[in-house]
Amino acid sequence: MLTPFEKLSDNARIWIYQADRVLNASEQKEILAQTDSFLHQWAAHGQALLASAKIEHGHFLIICTDESFNLASGCSIDSSVRFVQELGEQFKVNFFERSNLAFLINSSVKLVPMQAVKAEVANENIAANTLFFNNTVGTKAELDTKWCVKANESWLKRYFQQAESV
């Protein structure tokens, strides 16, 4: 059952799918339309899920369900993953490339391969206060407070401690 994103509780469960490229405006519109159609019929064991989705910064498809209404089951989560995989195939975008980390630099998302982070820090392309998208957050409240954080306030802080000790 589709509902506005802002009406979902802070405890609502979220999944963040990071695109490996920026999605243009028409792609975003079509992806959201298809996602809304999917969420409208999304269910767990025949019980409707109260859900919503949005796209942020042209890179992140965020799906949210309020489990105080009905719990998402393993099968329902699997169906949402398959749906996002199908979107990726249709739009020629990879939502499952986990080795790219996303940073907000000069108001745009910059994807950095995980193996390049140490060099990016050493070259001062990524600073301690550079905003980092922590896509492991699990609730709507965390999305609002812990998703886009300073790099040194995330698990990346070790790279800044290493840089300071050199």
Side-chain angles (χ1 to χ4, degrees), residues 54-165:
K54 64 180 180 174
I55 294 176
E56 292 286 334
H57 301 282
H59 273 273
F60 306 97
L61 172 60
I62 303 168
I63 295 177
C64 188
T65 185
D66 193 336
E67 292 190 307
S68 65
F69 183 76
N70 279 319
L71 290 174
S73 66
C75 291
S76 64
I77 294 167
D78 288 348
S79 72
S80 68
V81 170
R82 280 191 303 277
F83 169 75
V84 174
Q85 287 172 329
E86 290 168 5
L87 281 177
E89 290 171 13
Q90 179 182 350
F91 290 92
K92 310 254 186 293
V93 61
N94 187 345
F95 286 106
F96 295 91
E97 175 54 67
R98 303 283 186 234
S99 66
N100 285 332
L101 303 179
F103 296 87
L104 189 62
I105 299 173
N106 297 324
S107 300
S108 25
V109 174
K110 179 180 180 186
L111 300 178
V112 176
M114 195 175 303
Q115 68 269 19
V117 170
K118 187 175 181 179
E120 292 288 309
V121 169
N123 294 332
E124 299 179 358
N125 294 324
I126 297 173
N129 65 350
T130 300
L131 295 177
F132 166 67
F133 291 98
N134 174 15
N135 293 331
T136 64
V137 297
T139 66
K140 187 174 169 243
E142 289 177 337
L143 180 72
D144 293 336
T145 60
K146 297 180 181 174
W147 178 43
C148 190
V149 296
K150 292 179 182 176
N152 70 340
E153 294 175 0
S154 74
W155 63 270
L156 294 168
K157 66 184 170 194
R158 67 180 183 215
Y159 291 106
F160 303 101
Q161 292 165 346
Q162 290 172 356
E164 291 169 3
S165 65

